[in-house]
Amino acid sequence: MKLDLVEIALPDFDVDIALAYATDANLSGKPVYRNAECWLHREAAEKLATAVALARPLGLRLRIFDALRPTEAQWVLWRAKPDPEFLADPRRGSPHSRGVAVDLTLLDGDGRELDMGTPFDAFTPLSHHGRTDIPAAAQRNRLLLMGLMTAAGWDFYRNEWWHYQLFEARRYPLISDADLPRPMM
């Protein structure tokens, strides 16, 4: 399959980019990405554009925490927290390392994140979809995000309210930092 990447940035994509792994506020405790650039495979980018369009009339925007994650970055995260419930084993490959997954949340009209019951990358059972032991507003917000994303053609990962990926993600090739138009690492 051809490596066909699209940069996710304004003005083409009306999203807020807040790549967690370009900061030290992530599970590794240090920046993983030297260059905070957001990339997706073209097919994923098209579905992201659909989700953006679906959110807009509701007065909502998407904030992206992560998208394409080079295989080298997957290894950094795995070494920091080798938990297969929340991280793909880099030997198998992550949908992120194929450019077909996105971690995101919803912003209200004032640019504030909607309450989702846990923060991004909170590796606890409370991060799982369908939790009823989080506030009702957070349950509604998670369902709203899931509705927007699944209506746009995305699949979800049951353990992470923030993670969405293309169906049949493994049919896409793994992408290393050297494969990118501009390196992230």
Side-chain angles (χ1 to χ4, degrees), residues 14 49-61 107 109 144 148:
D14 184 22
T50 300
V52 168
L54 290 170
R56 187 176 300 117
L58 302 176
L60 300 171
R61 289 182 71 219
L107 302 178
L144 177 58
L148 291 168

Side-chain angles (χ1 to χ4, degrees), residues 9-127:
L10 292 169
D12 296 332
F13 292 87
D14 184 22
V15 295
D16 181 73
I17 306 291
L19 298 182
Y21 304 129
T23 73
D24 60 4
N26 69 69
L27 64 102
S28 76
K30 62 184 183 213
V32 177
Y33 304 149
R34 186 171 35 92
N35 295 318
E37 297 199 3
C38 188
W39 300 92
L40 284 173
H41 187 281
R42 183 166 307 281
E43 292 174 32
E46 290 167 359
K47 291 186 184 330
L48 180 66
T50 300
V52 168
L54 290 170
R56 187 176 300 117
L58 302 176
L60 300 171
R61 289 182 71 219
L62 303 175
R63 170 170 285 161
I64 298 177
F65 298 123
D66 200 27
L68 186 144
R69 180 185 307 153
T71 54
E72 296 89 346
Q74 188 69 21
W75 276 106
V76 170
L77 298 177
W78 182 257
R79 285 184 199 108
K81 188 167 181 66
D83 183 350
E85 185 176 349
F86 293 99
L87 279 173
D89 185 325
R91 291 170 291 236
R92 291 182 51 228
S94 166
H96 281 287
S97 298
R98 300 169 193 280
V100 296
V102 64
D103 293 338
L104 73 174
T105 194
L106 291 170
L107 302 178
D108 68 15
D110 294 322
R112 293 183 304 252
E113 289 184 19
L114 298 188
D115 178 14
M116 295 293 181
T118 70
F120 164 70
D121 263 4
F123 291 171
T124 75
L126 287 177
S127 296

